[in-house]
Amino acid sequence: MAKTVAMNAHTRRLHMHPAWLVAALCLCALLLSMRHLAALLPADMWWRALTRPDLSDLRQIIVHESVLPRIAVCLLGGAQLSLAGAIFQQVLRNPLAEPTTLGVSAGASLALTVVTLVAPQWLFAGQQWLALAGGTLGMLVVLMLSWRRRFAPVALILAGLIVTFYCGSIGAVLTLLHREALQSLFMWGAGSLAQNNWDAPRTLVPHLAVGAVLTVALVRPLTMMSLSDAGAQSLGVSLRMVRIGALAVAVFLSASVVASVGVIGFLGMLAPLIVRLAGARRFRARLAWSPLFGAALLWMTDEIVQMIPGGRSGIPTGAAMSLLGAPFLFWLLPRLPALPNTVDLSSGASEFRHIDVWRWIVPGLVLLVLTSMLGLSLGVSTTGWQWSVEALLHWRAPRVAVALSAGAMLAVAGAILQRVTGNSMASPEVLGISSGASLGVFALAFIAQDAGRFAQTGAAAIGAFGTLVVMLALGRRYRFAPERMLLLGVALGTAFSALMSVLLATGDPRVANLLAWLSGSTYGVASNDAAFSCASFIVLMLASLAFARWLDLLPLGDTVSRSLGVPLDTSRLALMLLAAALTGAATLVVGPLSFVGLMAPHLARMLGFRRPAAQLAGAALLGALVMVLADWLGRNLLFPYQIPVGLQSTLVGGMYFMWLMLRGRTAL
C-alpha cells in the first residue's frame, strides 16, 4: 500500500514537472521555425546558411542575418526577462513583481527616448548602460514611493503603475513634439524582434552569462528569503545587501533586453508563476526552469506572430506577447498564491477629519470659476502673453467646457467604483475601464467609420460596462482584494495598449485618425461636443446623487446592507451602469489617459468629504479643476506646441499622487 502511494506521488510529480511544458513549447516553436525556414531555403542548406553563408545567395543571407538572429534574440531575451522576474518575485515576496509592473521597463525606455533627442551620439557609446541607468532610476522611484508602506504588494504595484503611466506620458509628449525624430523608436518600443545582423545576440549573451553567474552566487541567501526577515537574519543573511545585490542583477537583466529589443510585457511575471504551478515549488527549481520556459514561450510567440500576414515586418512581438499574456493572467488569477498583507491598508484614515462641506464647496466653486475664466481669457500668442476674451472665445470655450465636464465625470466614476468595490485603489484608469471604453470606440471605428456621436457614446459605454462586469465578476470571488483588482486592471490596460500597438503597426488609416484622441486631446472639439459633455455630466451627476444612500450602505458589507433594505444585485448593477456611462462619456471626449478618476476621490476624502453625496460633489469639483488647469497648461506651456489634456493631467496628477505616497498620505 505504501509503495503504491509512493508511486502515485512520484507519478503526480512527474506529470506536473515543468520539463513537460518546456519540451512542448520548444517542440512547437521548433516545428514552426522549420516550417518558416523551409519556405526560404531547402533543409540541406540550413547548416551552410548558419556557418558559411553564400553571399551571392539572397536566401542564405536572409536566413543568416535575419531569421537565425531573431530566434537567438527570442531565446536570450526570454531567458533574461524570466530570470529577472523570478528574482524580483523572490526578493520582494510578491508574485506580481516583474520588470513591467515595477517601472524598470518604462524607465529604461524613457531614458533611451530622451537620449535619442538630446544626445543621440551617446547611443553608440553605450545604449545598454543608458537603459540600465533609466531602469535603475525607475525602480528606485518605485521603491521610494512604497518605502513608507514597507514594500507591501499593493503599494509596489500601485507605485509601479504610477511610474509606468508617468514615463509613458512623458514619452508620449516627446513623441508628439518630435514625431519624425522618434518615429523609428515606435516599433522598437513595442518590442519588435526583427533583426538584420547578430549585434543584439552578441550583446545579450555576455549579459545573460554575467546575470546567471551573479544569480548563482546569490542562490543561497535568496532561498533563505523565503523565510521571514527574522528567520533569514538568524541564519546569517544580510537582508539589505542581498536585496540590493539581487535587485541590481534583475534590473541589469531587464534593462539589457529593453535596450536591445524594446519592452516585452508580462513575460517576467508569467514564466515564474507558470513553472511554480507546474511543480517548481522551491526557489532553486523556479530559478532553473523560469528562464527555459520564458525562452521557449517567447520563441513560440514570435513564430506565431510571423505566421500572421505582415507579422514578420509589421507586428511587434512584444505587443503580441502582452496581448497573449492577458488571458494567461486571467487563468492564473484563481491559482495565484496568497499575497502577504504586510501593511494596514486603512492607515492614514485617522488623519481625515469631518468638515463643514459648504465651507469647502463654495471656495472650490469660486476657484473653478476663476480657473475657467483664466482658461478662456489668458493665453500665449506669437506676441507673448495676452488677455483675449471675445476674439478666441469661440475656440476656447468648448475646450474648457469639455475638460471641466469630463474631469468631473471621471472623478465621480472613480468615487462610485471605490465605494461599490470597497477598494480605494479602484478607478476607471486603474481597473482598465477607460481602456474598455476606448476599445468600444475603436471597434465602432472599424465597423462604422462615419458613426455619429450617439453611436460612439453607446459603443464607449458598452465597452466600459463590459470591462467593469468582467472586473467585478472576477474580483467578487476574492472580495475585491486590492492586489487582485490591480492585477486585473494592469492586465486589461496592458492588453489594450498591446492591441493598439498591433493595430497601429498595420498602418490602417482608421486607427491613425484616432491617435490624437487616444492622447486625450481637446484640440478641435466643437460646441456640440461641449454641449453633449456638459449635458451628460448634469444628468449622470444627478443620477449619482440619487444613489447616495446605496453608496453609503454598500461599503458596510452585504449583511448590513441587506438588513437595511438595500437590494444588493439591483444596486450594484445600477451603480455599475452609472460608472460605465460616466466613464464612456468622459473617455469619448478626452481619451483614456488620466489620473483624475483615481486622484480626485482620494483628495476629496483627504479634505474631509466622507459621506457619499459630499465625496461625489467634492470629487467632481476637484476633477473638473484639475482637468481645466491641465488643459490651460497644455495649451500654453510649450506654445506653439500643445500637450493634450489627458497627458497633461497625467503629468500633473501623477506628480501630486507620487508626492502623497512619499508622505504616506494615500489611503491604500
Side-chain angles (χ1 to χ4, degrees), residues 271-318:
L273 287 176
I274 292 177
V275 298
R276 180 173 181 171
L277 293 174
R281 305 296 182 186
R282 298 180 179 274
F283 174 65
R284 290 176 182 267
R286 293 198 301 274
L287 211 57
W289 287 108
S290 294
L292 297 176
F293 179 84
L297 180 59
L298 187 58
W299 181 18
M300 189 184 73
T301 302
D302 186 58
E303 292 297 332
I304 293 175
V305 167
Q306 294 183 72
M307 294 175 62
I308 302 173
R312 295 179 184 176
S313 59
I315 300 177
T317 304

Side-chain angles (χ1 to χ4, degrees), residues 27 50-51 55 81 112 116 137 197 242 259 286 299 316 386 452 469 559 610-611 665:
L27 180 60
L50 172 63
T51 57
L55 299 183
L81 288 176
L112 292 174
T116 300
L137 183 59
N197 54 50
V242 171
R286 293 198 301 274
W299 181 18
Q386 64 179 14
V469 168
T559 303
R610 307 303 304 278
R611 299 301 297 270
R665 295 291 300 278

Side-chain angles (χ1 to χ4, degrees), residues 183-193 261-262 313-316 501 504-505:
Q183 187 66 33
S184 60
L185 290 177
F186 173 74
M187 294 296 291
W188 164 84
S192 175
L193 300 184
V261 298
S313 59
I315 300 177
S501 297
L504 288 170

Side-chain angles (χ1 to χ4, degrees), residues 88-89 93-102 153-154 157 268-269 273 329 333 336 339 482-484 486-487:
F88 277 133
Q89 293 177 14
R93 296 169 183 164
N94 184 352
L96 309 183
E98 65 128 9
T100 304
T101 60
L102 294 176
V154 176
I157 298 303
M269 183 193 301
L273 287 176
L329 277 182
L333 187 66
L336 285 178
L339 293 175
E483 66 276 3
R484 307 285 178 169
L486 283 173
L487 178 58

Side-chain angles (χ1 to χ4, degrees), residues 1-13:
M1 183 67 177
K3 183 177 180 181
T4 303
V5 172
M7 291 180 62
N8 290 337
H10 176 73
T11 303
R12 285 197 301 269
R13 287 196 299 269

Side-chain angles (χ1 to χ4, degrees), residues 34 63 91 99 145:
M34 293 174 65
V63 170
V91 172
L145 292 176

